[in-house]
Amino acid sequence: TCQAATMSNAFYSPNVVGIGSSKLGENSYSMSHDSNLGVALIDRFTFYTLDFFQQHAKGIRAKSLHELFHSYKPGPLRSNVEWRSDLMQERNITDIPILDFFGQVTHAKLTSQPYPLRGRPLNEATTAKTTLDA
């Protein structure tokens, strides 16, 4: 998002960290696009974030937010990443493991039957799915 870092200016809750792909007055740019579809596939900020994770996959548990935030280079991004950590009262970003910021474990329960949608009987949901699949 262009001027993304400005969104964190509205934060006021304690112990919140915000990061944006570009400062006030800057644009955020795509990394690659699909000419056939005419759309961007990934933006530069996301690309370099994923690159950081891939480069440090084996040791990611030992990495901090500080290390990630300082890995962004203005040249390849074509913008300046800006973060806000002044609301952190209990920890410094050098002490926050990267997985505390990005990591979450979700347990999914797999079922063999479609889940009934609120307000629609199960047979309508199944019929709609079958109709779309046909």
Side-chain angles (χ1 to χ4, degrees):
T1 300
C2 297
Q3 304 183 64
T6 60
M7 291 191 289
S8 68
N9 293 339
F11 296 171
Y12 56 86
S13 299
N15 299 316
V16 172
V17 174
I19 185 168
S21 59
S22 53
K23 294 164 95 171
L24 179 65
E26 292 183 342
N27 295 322
S28 187
Y29 295 97
S30 62
M31 184 68 181
S32 62
H33 66 281
D34 185 312
S35 298
N36 293 325
L37 296 175
V39 296
L41 300 176
I42 189 169
D43 65 282
R44 290 176 175 274
F45 179 77
T46 303
F47 177 87
Y48 287 106
T49 301
L50 291 172
D51 185 57
F52 180 88
F53 278 102
Q54 289 171 344
Q55 287 182 17
H56 303 286
K58 291 189 180 195
I60 199 68
R61 291 190 185 283
K63 298 296 178 187
S64 69
L65 281 183
H66 180 265
E67 291 171 282
L68 171 66
F69 292 177
H70 285 277
S71 74
Y72 298 115
K73 306 295 180 226
L77 286 171
R78 298 185 186 166
S79 64
N80 292 282
V81 170
E82 191 171 79
W83 60 89
R84 181 175 177 201
S85 60
D86 61 300
L87 296 171
M88 292 301 297
Q89 297 174 353
E90 299 172 11
R91 298 191 287 177
N92 189 297
I93 62 169
T94 57
D95 302 324
I96 300 173
I98 199 165
L99 293 182
D100 281 10
F101 191 75
F102 285 99
Q104 177 165 345
V105 176
T106 302
H107 300 284
K109 182 178 178 182
L110 302 177
T111 64
S112 59
Q113 298 295 316
Y115 189 80
L117 300 175
R118 192 180 322 173
R120 290 176 66 185
L122 185 58
N123 62 352
E124 284 183 39
T126 306
T127 303
K129 182 180 183 299
T130 306
T131 305
L132 291 174
D133 291 341

